[in-house]
Amino acid sequence: MDINAIVRHFGLTEHPFITSPDPRFLYFSSQVREALAKCEFMARDRIGPIYMYGPIGSGKTSLVRRLHEKLSQDERYNVKLLIVPNIKSSNALLRVIMETFDVKTERSYAASLANFEGFLLQQFESGKVPVLLVDEAQYMTREQLKLLHYLLNFETNKTKLLQIVLVGQEELGTKIVNYRELASRMFPIAMSAMSLEDLRDMIQFRLTVAGRRDSLFEESTAEEAYHLLYAYTKGLPRDAIKVCFELLIDLAVQGNTHASPQQIEEIAKAQNLRI
C-alpha cells in the first residue's frame, strides 16, 4: 500500500503525517508563536543574534523553515537558510556563507572577509537586512563559532549588519554557553516538548490541513488514545507524527477510519518508544 492509496482511503487531499518540515503543517503552539515572534522582532530591529536549541524532534527545523518563508515574503530581508555542511575549517564555512549570499570569495581569508563586510555595508545602505539562518548548528566546531563571533563585529555605531539565527539540538546550547564571549552576545530560545493539549491540537491541525475534519480516534476512547500517544512520545512532535503515520497504514489495511488506544500502544512499542 502506497501513500496515494492511504490518502484516497481517508478522503484526504494529501498525507498529514509526513515528517518532512513542510511549513504548512507547522502547528502554532504558544511556544512556536513566541519563538517566531522573537526571531522576527530581533531581525526587524537588528537587535542581536539568536540561538535556538531543543531535543531531537521538537519541531526546530519546521520552525526555522517557517521563519525563512515568512521573512522572505518581505523585500526588506535578504534571507538565506544554511544547513551546516560537513566541513571543519572556518575558512571553508566563510566561503559557503559568502556563496550563499552570492558574494565573491578570494584566495585569502582576509580578502574574503573584506568582501563580505563590503557586501553587508552595501545591504545596509540599500535598506536591506541580511539574515543568516543556520540549521543543525550543533555540528559547528569551536573555530566555526569563532567565525560567527567575528562576523557579529560587522556593525555601525547603532546597527548590526548581519542578523544570525542558529538552530540545533541541545548540544548547541551547551557549546554556546561554554563559549562565553559568544554567549554574552546572543539571545537564547529553548524549545521543549509539547503539552498534551498542544499535541492533541497538532494532530487535529494536520488532519484539517490534509482535508479531514473528523477525529482520528473514536470519541469514546479518544482521551485514552491521546494520553497514550503523549506518554510514549513524551510530547515530541516528530515521534507523534511517526506513530500517526503508521497508524494510518494500519487503519487503511484493516479498512477502518478510526483508531483505538491499543493500536497506539502497539505501534509505539514497535518503534521502540517507552513510557
Side-chain angles (χ1 to χ4, degrees), residues 94 98 103-106 108-122 150-151 154:
L94 176 61
M98 292 177 65
V103 180
K104 184 177 183 295
T105 60
E106 305 291 350
S108 82
Y109 188 64
S112 289
L113 280 171
N115 279 3
F116 194 56
E117 182 177 17
F119 161 75
L120 294 176
L121 286 168
Q122 288 175 350
Y150 183 84
L151 295 181
F154 293 153

Side-chain angles (χ1 to χ4, degrees), residues 1-271:
M1 178 171 289
D2 61 13
I3 286 179
N4 290 331
I6 293 170
V7 169
R8 289 194 300 271
H9 174 77
F10 289 97
L12 302 170
T13 56
E14 58 188 310
H15 201 299
F17 300 117
I18 303 295
T19 56
S20 58
D22 186 338
R24 293 180 306 116
F25 283 97
L26 177 62
Y27 170 68
F28 283 82
S29 65
S30 57
Q31 176 179 233
V32 168
R33 286 196 300 271
E34 182 179 340
L36 274 174
K38 188 173 183 178
C39 288
E40 287 183 59
F41 170 71
M42 295 290 199
R44 184 183 64 245
D45 294 330
R46 304 183 190 230
I47 291 174
I50 292 169
Y51 65 100
M52 183 188 308
Y53 62 96
I56 296 173
S58 56
K60 301 179 299 299
T61 294
S62 294
L63 196 154
V64 76
R65 295 289 178 93
R66 172 59 179 166
L67 180 62
H68 178 264
E69 178 183 71
K70 191 167 185 181
L71 292 181
S72 297
Q73 293 170 356
D74 190 327
E75 62 181 13
R76 292 176 298 170
Y77 299 106
N78 183 1
V79 190
K80 302 298 181 183
L81 175 58
L82 175 65
I83 299 174
V84 172
N86 186 25
I87 56 176
K88 300 301 180 185
S89 74
S90 56
N91 190 13
L93 178 60
L94 176 61
R95 288 181 174 275
V96 170
I97 293 172
M98 292 177 65
E99 288 167 1
T100 301
F101 280 104
D102 297 320
V103 180
K104 184 177 183 295
T105 60
E106 305 291 350
R107 287 189 176 183
S108 82
Y109 188 64
S112 289
L113 280 171
N115 279 3
F116 194 56
E117 182 177 17
F119 161 75
L120 294 176
L121 286 168
Q122 288 175 350
Q123 292 276 286
F124 174 72
E125 290 166 1
S126 63
K128 290 279 191 178
V129 181
V131 182
L132 177 63
L133 308 175
V134 183
D135 198 9
E136 301 292 352
Q138 72 274 5
Y139 295 119
M140 297 185 76
T141 66
R142 178 81 171 198
E143 289 302 312
Q144 291 171 339
L145 290 174
K146 282 184 178 179
L147 168 64
L148 295 188
H149 187 205
Y150 183 84
L151 295 181
L152 294 176
N153 291 323
F154 293 153
E155 55 188 353
T156 68
N157 290 335
K158 295 183 178 180
T159 304
K160 298 184 184 301
L161 298 180
L162 176 66
Q163 180 65 20
I164 297 175
V165 179
L166 303 182
V167 180
Q169 296 169 20
E170 291 163 314
E171 182 185 352
L172 172 65
T174 302
K175 283 185 175 183
I176 292 180
V177 167
N178 290 336
Y179 186 176
R180 297 183 64 183
E181 297 88 348
L182 181 58
S184 68
R185 303 189 63 178
M186 300 195 76
F187 294 85
I189 297 177
M191 299 293 290
S192 58
M194 285 182 162
S195 66
L196 172 59
E197 182 179 355
D198 277 339
L199 187 68
R200 181 192 293 112
D201 290 345
M202 180 198 72
I203 298 300
Q204 191 56 51
F205 169 77
R206 281 178 163 263
L207 287 168
T208 301
V209 171
R212 173 170 171 158
R213 298 286 181 179
D214 194 15
S215 172
L216 189 57
F217 306 104
E218 294 286 355
E219 185 176 350
S220 60
T221 59
E223 195 67 21
E224 180 186 356
Y226 277 118
H227 273 87
L228 274 173
L229 182 62
Y230 185 79
Y232 276 104
T233 64
K234 307 298 187 294
L236 293 175
R238 187 184 301 169
D239 285 341
I241 291 166
K242 287 168 62 180
V243 170
C244 289
F245 179 88
E246 289 200 35
L247 190 59
L248 291 194
I249 297 175
D250 269 12
L251 290 172
V253 169
Q254 297 168 10
N256 297 325
T257 55
H258 292 86
S260 68
Q262 291 73 24
Q263 285 174 290
I264 291 286
E265 191 158 26
E266 290 169 4
I267 291 170
K269 286 180 177 179
Q271 292 185 7

